[in-house]
Amino acid sequence: MDSKGVQLINEETKNIDRMVEETVRRYGRSRKALIPILQSIQAKLGYLPRYSLESVSSHLGIPLSNVYGVVTFYHQFILEPPGTYIIQMCMGTACYIRRNSENYRFLLSLLEIEPNSRTSKDGIFTVLRVRCLGCCSIAPVIKVGDEVYSRVNLDEMRRIVSFYRAKARTGSSKHA
Amino acid sequence: MGANQWSLMDKCCDLCRHSSETPCRSYITCAVEGPLCHDNIECREKRRFRISEIKNGRNGLKISIGMGSCGLAVGARGVYDATLRELERRGLEASVIPVGCIGLCYMEPLLEIHKDGLPTAIYGRVEPRSVGEILDTYLEGDVSGASALRNRVGTAKGELEVPLLDEIDFLRYQVRWVTRNCGIANPESIEDYIVYDGYRGLVRALESKPEDVIEIVRKAGLRGRGGAGFPTWLKWSICRRAEGLPKYVVCNADEGDPGAFMNRMLAEADPHRVLEGLIIAAYAIGASYGYIFVRAEKPLMADRLERAAEDARRYGILGHNILDSEFSFDVEVIRSAGAFVCGEETAMLAAIEGGRAMPRQRPPYPATHGLFGKPTVINNVETLAHVATIMSDGWEKFASYGTGGSKGTKVFCITGSAARTGAVEVPIGITVRELIFKVAGGVREGRRFKAVQIGGPSGGCLPENMLDLPMDYESLTSAGAIMGSGGLIVIDDRNCIVDIARFFTSFTMAESCGKCIPCRVGSKILYDTLTRIIEGGGSEDDLRILEEVGTFMKNASLCALGQTAPNPILSTLRYFRDEYEAHIKMKECPAKVCSKLVSYAIEGGLCVGCGLCAKQCPVQAITKSGERLYHIDASRCIRCGQCIIVCPRNAISRR
Ligand SMILES: Cc1cc2nc3c(=O)[nH]c(=O)nc-3n(C[C@H](O)[C@H](O)[C@H](O)COP(=O)(O)O)c2cc1C
Ligand code: FES
């Protein structure tokens, strides 16, 4: 690695340290604050880079293995950078009965997502499966960013994907 | 509404001394009926005028738009914006209120208009571009296009052609007790809540001794609405008597059961009622701090509850010396990081403490050893909303609904293949058949009823001949289902029961926390066995494995997640055994769902080679194989059924 690369990485870790410090100050240096702190960091960075876990561990005095244990237990935490848009596919019962698993399979093929990945190759979409978004009466539903789409079918999925694809290409807004 | 507008929560004049630092006992009553401490016509008029403005709208014109999560998902925001635009274009001044969901999900987006002198009309499935026309015709006194009316005045055009809201089937059987404000009051306004009789239960509680509050809840016969149906008063009473300070109350707003959204609906539409119930619970057991634990996937619910707590705090209804009662209590909203098992009470406590949400052995129960080892009461959102309503309206009224052992009303969510989907509040004891066929209108067009799944991943499936069962805790449990949180998912003949049993098992397998072996390993064995059956490799022996492992999990798992996980399988084995047997013996899926057992094929004789199916196919599994013939590649086909829908010749079939 050239010296410039190392510097950049140092810069990044410093930024993360600063942010973690600030977050810890806000939530307090206690075990109870661990999850809100991780949530706040993920809200800022979009995911939890490994270094942020190390930093939280040392700031709170909680072993890294322990922090990692918490992070991997809950569905909300993401350890790899997600795509520009996060698509949440509801895999709750009401949505399943209304064929959302077919929509899901279709979406994976439409976005050409590899079997062991969740993000499309172009980096635009990350597809997550969630258990019920609480809109079961208008199933099947999917959520893109903060927007919920109801009664979706294959045509609708096609339309949604091309809408966000175009939006990502024109680079209008990162998080819809 | 301008931000600086005077509100009922504010002082009417300098004589009023209420603030969060110098609280006044009569504040709530005074705000609506006051002023009480002094006599001044101007102050009184100011309050009366404001109350009428909240109830009937500015200039007697009020438009409410259902903007709960589901309303927003079907475009309520656009309707709201269009309403503001159309009013402005016409130079009309009115109140435009975002309200919560009244449960009529199948009719959303909903728009309700009230104008003094006209019947209050509700319009369903409104599109932004039709708002202008709705406004014009309504204001001309023509309500013929409305879906329902709240009242009649006798002079509006078309009035008699439109049913009253209470007369439509979806509402006719309902008793709106905890859901009374849903769709009526502005959930973001504490002022609205007080105008619609809010916080009266709290006032009554603070005027009574804590023991008497517990006694009222006992007489009401309230049982927990979170699933287990434990008597609320008993939990409180044990916690009140338990040693150790501080004590805590926790509102379980984790609502993780897919298909159930009554907690979301209540908390989004009427958050102050939930908060009021929580403050009353805290007073009854002597807790000084509380947490509201909200599911990550339901962020609007967290926002609304947070806002409600902030407002209550600002006006001295939460915090130090609440309404000069010498009782102090505060709450914090916690957003879950997401895991189904967090809904289990001991797992939730572990999550609040900052760890992995793993349940622990009970006893000791949280009522004596809970959060940070202190006595803690955990109650569900709907339970707490009932507490507030019981305290304000009296236990007698609540206890007059329901059955011997299960008092009051319950909110049920009806989804899946029901003709009308949504949330309904009915007296406990209504039969399953009434709920599905009368309230929800039966099964969607052209489908046949097959089963209803009640109680989520811990519940069971009931067939047609069990539908006359009353919906109460005991009857459902004896039939192999459970009341659970109250989700009913209607399953039609196009669904395969074995596939659905596997769906639930995949759910519990994924959500098992992994702490105890019966649940962790048992759910995997069940899943693998079902997969074998679904893929055509099942044997008679597999049914025995399902029953044995299921029964073992029931008896040996640490928490109710594992103890109830086999219910979907055991109940379907009981009522739909023939379907399992068809998969095993005939290698056939009667509903033509299990993809390894069905294939799609194009009948050579019927196909005219139009190619519509190939165009429609999302995975390019259909290719031209002859002059007037197409062929489906079974290895690519995802069995989505789109080709069947588009084929003009009915040449494609499932086999
Ligand atoms: C796996 C599992 C999930 C649960 N999920 C919820 C839930 O989402 N909401 C809820 O109120 N109770 C849930 N419960 C029940 C709680 O443990 C607890 O009984 C309930 O919150 C008590 O409140 P109540 O007495 O007011 O019903 C769950 C239980 C288990 C075992
Ligand atoms: S099951 Fe999909 S939103 Fe509830």
Side-chain angles (χ1 to χ4, degrees):
Chain A
M1 213 180 281
D2 62 32
S3 62
K4 201 175 157 214
V6 173
Q7 254 179 5
L8 260 180
I9 288 170
N10 278 341
E11 194 64 28
E12 234 169 79
T13 58
K14 254 189 236 145
N15 279 341
I16 289 177
D17 270 328
R18 212 171 305 131
M19 195 190 62
V20 170
E21 212 176 289
E22 196 182 295
T23 319
V24 169
R25 209 175 311 126
R26 184 145 51 91
Y27 288 96
R29 199 173 169 274
S30 70
R31 172 86 209 197
K32 190 178 142 259
L34 174 61
I35 294 172
I37 288 171
L38 293 168
Q39 285 172 322
S40 161
I41 295 170
Q42 179 161 308
K44 286 194 192 105
L45 300 178
Y47 74 112
L48 293 172
R50 186 189 158 100
Y51 185 74
S52 70
L53 303 184
E54 290 169 14
S55 178
V56 167
S57 157
S58 69
H59 274 93
L60 290 183
I62 298 174
L64 180 61
S65 61
N66 229 303
V67 175
Y68 187 74
V70 166
V71 168
T72 50
F73 188 88
Y74 296 101
H75 303 311
Q76 185 184 14
F77 298 122
I78 309 177
L79 290 164
E80 284 123 40
T84 315
Y85 297 107
I86 294 186
I87 303 183
Q88 296 180 297
M89 292 291 304
C90 179
M91 289 292 149
T93 323
C95 290
Y96 184 77
I97 302 272
R98 302 287 286 255
R99 307 263 186 272
N100 223 18
S101 51
E102 277 158 15
N103 289 334
Y104 176 65
R105 277 199 298 264
F106 175 57
L107 187 66
L108 294 187
S109 71
L110 194 64
L111 298 178
E112 297 175 44
I113 292 180
E114 304 286 323
N116 47 13
S117 168
R118 299 192 294 194
T119 302
S120 58
K121 275 193 217 127
D122 54 13
I124 298 178
F125 299 102
T126 292
V127 181
L128 304 178
R129 292 153 46 106
V130 295
R131 302 289 195 181
C132 192
L133 294 163
C135 295
C136 331
S137 50
I138 46 176
V141 301
I142 74 166
K143 193 169 179 181
V144 188
D146 289 332
E147 201 70 40
V148 177
Y149 295 86
S150 62
R151 302 189 178 107
V152 291
N153 55 28
L154 305 188
D155 279 340
E156 179 82 356
M157 302 286 288
R158 240 185 233 124
R159 207 188 53 74
I160 294 169
V161 165
S162 47
F163 173 79
Y164 283 97
R165 218 173 234 157
K167 205 163 154 181
R169 296 240 161 91
T170 57
S172 48
S173 81
K174 199 168 150 60
H175 289 286
Chain B
M1 261 180 284
N4 298 322
Q5 196 185 7
W6 182 82
S7 117
L8 289 172
M9 311 306 289
D10 299 327
K11 299 174 188 307
C12 51
C13 67
D14 288 340
L15 286 170
C16 173
R17 287 176 303 102
H18 175 86
S19 76
S20 54
E21 284 86 39
T22 54
C24 169
R25 258 161 216 254
S26 312
Y27 175 59
I28 305 281
T29 333
C30 182
V32 181
E33 292 162 26
L36 300 178
C37 64
H38 59 283
D39 206 2
N40 182 323
I41 293 194
E42 227 170 272
C43 294
R44 191 165 298 268
E45 271 315 302
K46 194 156 141 183
R47 294 203 176 272
R48 281 210 193 125
F49 181 78
R50 182 67 190 144
I51 291 168
S52 141
E53 202 172 60
I54 287 175
K55 287 195 166 160
N56 305 318
R58 185 178 298 188
N59 295 328
L61 182 57
K62 175 170 167 178
I63 302 177
S64 317
I65 293 146
M67 292 175 79
S69 291
C70 46
L72 291 171
V74 292
R77 172 78 53 199
V79 174
Y80 183 82
D81 293 343
T83 307
L84 293 182
R85 225 170 27 239
E86 298 295 334
L87 284 170
E88 195 180 329
R89 185 179 294 168
R90 288 163 181 73
L92 290 169
E93 258 202 65
S95 306
V96 182
I97 311 288
V99 293
C101 177
I102 65 177
L104 286 162
C105 306
Y106 68 101
M107 273 171 54
E108 273 182 310
L110 287 170
L111 180 147
E112 176 170 332
I113 316 184
H114 164 87
K115 183 174 181 340
D116 290 351
L118 284 176
T120 304
I122 295 175
Y123 294 81
R125 303 207 181 211
V126 176
E127 287 182 36
R129 60 184 161 77
S130 55
V131 171
E133 201 191 317
I134 290 175
L135 271 178
D136 289 338
T137 39
Y138 177 83
L139 293 175
E140 277 164 20
D142 177 356
V143 297
S144 54
S147 309
L149 302 176
R150 282 216 189 253
N151 61 323
R152 295 195 198 281
V153 296
T155 52
K157 189 169 164 210
E159 209 177 312
L160 294 176
E161 297 148 33
V162 183
L164 280 175
L165 188 62
D166 294 340
E167 285 171 359
I168 65 175
D169 285 337
F170 201 72
L171 278 114
R172 178 178 307 183
Y173 304 91
Q174 292 199 42
V175 172
R176 308 282 289 188
W177 169 267
V178 274
T179 54
R180 57 181 65 182
N181 279 355
C182 298
I184 294 176
N186 178 354
E188 296 198 338
S189 160
I190 188 170
E191 198 188 6
D192 265 43
Y193 186 57
I194 284 190
V195 167
Y196 292 104
D197 299 329
Y199 286 117
R200 304 303 196 285
L202 175 63
V203 169
R204 204 153 293 162
L206 295 177
E207 285 166 356
S208 323
K209 288 203 299 266
E211 291 81 2
D212 296 340
V213 174
I214 296 179
E215 180 60 14
I216 290 172
V217 174
R218 187 187 69 77
K219 283 194 196 137
L222 174 63
R223 298 172 64 172
R225 299 295 193 246
F230 193 80
T232 304
W233 76 272
L234 185 54
K235 206 187 264 189
W236 289 11
S237 167
I238 294 168
C239 188
R240 171 150 194 90
R241 284 186 274 116
E243 303 253 337
L245 288 174
K247 292 179 183 175
Y248 296 101
V249 286
V250 176
C251 169
N252 189 340
D254 197 47
E255 194 167 55
D257 169 10
F261 54 89
M262 60 288 282
N263 288 180
R264 168 186 76 64
M265 170 176 140
L266 276 169
E268 280 179 5
D270 202 12
H272 283 283
R273 187 172 304 273
V274 180
L275 183 63
E276 183 180 356
L278 189 66
I279 305 173
I280 295 171
Y283 176 72
I285 64 163
S288 52
Y289 206 77
Y291 293 92
I292 302 177
F293 190 93
V294 189
R295 189 173 142 81
E297 288 85 348
K298 300 184 176 174
L300 186 59
M301 174 162 156
D303 295 346
R304 291 268 159 87
L305 288 163
E306 213 153 50
R307 167 83 191 258
E310 262 166 43
D311 286 346
R313 204 175 289 122
R314 174 170 327 128
Y315 295 110
I317 299 170
L318 195 61
H320 180 67
N321 191 13
I322 295 172
L323 299 174
D324 199 25
S325 62
E326 289 174 17
F327 168 64
S328 301
F329 171 73
D330 214 331
V331 302
E332 189 178 317
V333 172
I334 293 200
R335 290 165 199 256
S336 167
F340 175 68
V341 73
C342 286
E344 198 279 338
E345 51 187 26
T346 59
M348 178 168 293
L349 300 180
I352 298 175
E353 289 168 2
R356 288 161 71 94
M358 289 187 162
R360 63 158 172 78
Q361 188 86 44
R362 299 177 310 170
Y365 289 94
T368 54
H369 294 79
L371 197 58
F372 307 114
K374 303 293 183 191
T376 303
V377 155
I378 297 137
N379 273 134
N380 168 262
V381 166
E382 192 184 334
T383 311
L384 293 170
H386 274 299
V387 165
T389 322
I390 289 168
M391 286 310 295
S392 71
D393 285 32
W395 63 267
E396 294 90 344
K397 185 119 184 259
F398 178 85
S400 72
Y401 303 117
T403 61
S406 312
K407 295 291 183 204
T409 59
K410 170 89 191 82
V411 187
F412 293 102
C413 292
I414 309 176
T415 61
S417 298
R420 294 189 282 266
T421 54
V424 296
E425 180 175 9
V426 289
I428 294 185
I430 189 172
T431 67
V432 188
R433 189 183 302 281
E434 282 170 315
L435 261 184
I436 296 173
F437 287 92
K438 289 193 173 156
V439 177
V443 184
R444 285 198 303 153
E445 56 347 289
R447 307 279 169 85
R448 257 194 29 250
F449 176 89
K450 182 169 195 170
V452 56
Q453 210 282 339
I454 306 179
S458 312
C461 283
L462 300 181
E464 168 102 47
N465 63 10
M466 295 294 291
L467 296 187
D468 294 310
L469 216 61
M471 298 277 306
D472 64 42
Y473 294 96
E474 281 72 25
S475 311
L476 288 177
T477 307
S478 70
I482 59 163
M483 180 98 103
S485 48
L488 275 83
I489 298 168
V490 176
I491 296 169
D492 69 43
D493 54 349
R494 285 213 218 159
N495 291 289
C496 167
I497 287 290
V498 188
D499 177 65
I500 286 172
R502 185 175 71 149
F503 166 79
F504 280 111
T505 312
S506 76
F507 183 94
T508 33
M509 184 174 71
E511 299 297 332
S512 168
C513 78
K515 185 170 176 176
C516 77
I517 295 167
C519 175
R520 184 180 72 226
V521 180
S523 57
K524 173 87 171 101
I525 296 175
L526 293 180
Y527 180 81
D528 290 346
T529 310
L530 288 170
T531 302
R532 210 158 44 234
I533 296 174
I534 278 172
E535 295 186 344
S539 68
E540 288 280 326
D541 215 29
D542 284 337
L543 297 186
R544 191 187 50 77
I545 294 178
L546 290 176
E547 270 157 348
E548 259 181 40
V549 174
T551 311
F552 175 72
M553 282 175 74
K554 260 185 133 150
N555 296 331
S557 295
L558 173 67
C559 84
L561 177 77
Q563 289 158 12
T564 59
N567 282 354
I569 300 176
L570 297 178
S571 70
T572 48
L573 273 173
R574 183 164 154 191
Y575 299 119
F576 298 93
R577 202 177 188 92
D578 52 336
E579 237 175 273
Y580 281 86
E581 283 170 349
H583 284 74
I584 292 171
K585 291 186 195 149
M586 326 289 293
K587 308 293 172 208
E588 195 179 276
C589 173
K592 308 272 178 259
V593 168
C594 298
S595 49
K596 286 266 162 73
L597 301 183
V598 296
S599 57
Y600 281 52
I602 299 176
E603 296 281 343
L606 294 171
C607 179
V608 290
C610 67
L612 277 177
C613 56
K615 254 190 228 133
Q616 185 71 18
C617 179
V619 291
Q620 287 82 47
I622 308 182
T623 47
K624 203 169 167 92
S625 63
E627 186 52 38
R628 318 189 85 215
L629 189 61
Y630 278 76
H631 167 78
I632 300 178
D633 176 355
S635 66
R636 303 191 74 166
C637 173
I638 59 168
R639 287 131 185 126
C640 64
Q642 292 285 304
C643 51
I644 296 188
I645 297 168
V646 296
C647 178
R649 294 276 159 158
N650 288 330
I652 307 175
S653 59
R654 288 190 183 90
R655 287 186 194 146

